[in-house]
Amino acid sequence: IEVLNLGESSCLSIGAAALDHPLTHQPGWVSGSIGYHGDDGCMFNASGMGCSYGPSWKYGDVIGLGARPYEDDVIPGSEVQIFFTKNGYELGHTTVKVPPSGFFPTVGLHSKGEKLKVNLDVKQSNTCDKIKMKWRTLIGVQLQYSCAKEV
């Protein structure tokens, strides 16, 4: 994703979440999800308590999400390494179990005026990755959104 506007409170996030992830929660706040949050740079892993992970985000930053499976077949219950990048550099990784529905790329916006540009083109992401890491598919892609008129 590319940060286009931080909005009123800079509560933007990116992560991976199960299919039934509540749309009212940021990635990482509930079971079956993990997220990197732009306001404080914390990683949240199935909990409302984050841990220090990376820098906070600013306008123009490009934030990425990737997964490295331990085995060739990624199935629910198997473990994968999830990692995030900021402006092409990997920030570190953590190991998580794939939820029963699989993982889906997820973004969170929390306050008025926040705007992101989302890129789901894995091939393009590969060419932009400065550290040349091989990106893996996370068991499907689903895009859920709601639109509200900005006042």
Side-chain angles (χ1 to χ4, degrees):
I1 61 173
E2 180 180 355
V3 178
L4 301 179
N5 193 324
L6 294 170
E8 292 178 355
S9 62
S10 303
C11 291
L12 304 135
S13 58
I14 184 173
L19 184 61
D20 62 351
H21 184 80
L23 297 179
T24 57
H25 290 68
Q26 296 275 356
W29 283 357
V30 297
S31 180
S33 69
I34 184 167
Y36 171 34
H37 293 218
D39 59 333
D40 56 12
C42 286
M43 179 191 293
F44 291 78
N45 188 355
S47 170
M49 298 289 293
C51 62
S52 182
Y53 177 70
S56 59
W57 306 354
K58 63 184 184 314
Y59 170 81
D61 282 339
V62 176
I63 310 299
L65 162 70
R68 289 188 204 96
Y70 288 103
E71 301 171 12
D72 288 336
D73 291 331
V74 178
I75 59 172
S78 65
E79 292 186 335
V80 295
Q81 280 186 359
I82 297 289
F83 63 95
F84 298 94
T85 61
K86 182 175 180 198
N87 299 323
Y89 294 97
E90 186 176 335
L91 301 173
H93 65 270
T94 192
T95 299
V96 296
K97 284 192 176 192
V98 177
S101 65
F103 269 134
F104 295 87
T106 308
V107 296
L109 299 118
H110 193 78
S111 68
K112 183 178 177 182
E114 294 173 345
K115 293 182 185 177
L116 300 172
K117 179 179 179 184
V118 178
N119 176 6
L120 296 175
D121 183 354
V122 175
K123 290 179 185 175
Q124 185 176 349
S125 295
N126 280 339
T127 60
C128 295
D129 190 357
K130 294 177 184 171
I131 57 175
K132 307 295 182 198
M133 296 303 297
K134 185 174 183 181
W135 292 79
R136 297 288 190 127
T137 303
L138 292 172
I139 305 180
V141 173
Q142 175 176 323
L143 188 60
Q144 294 184 351
Y145 63 91
S146 61
C147 296
K149 185 177 179 182
E150 199 168 313
V151 183

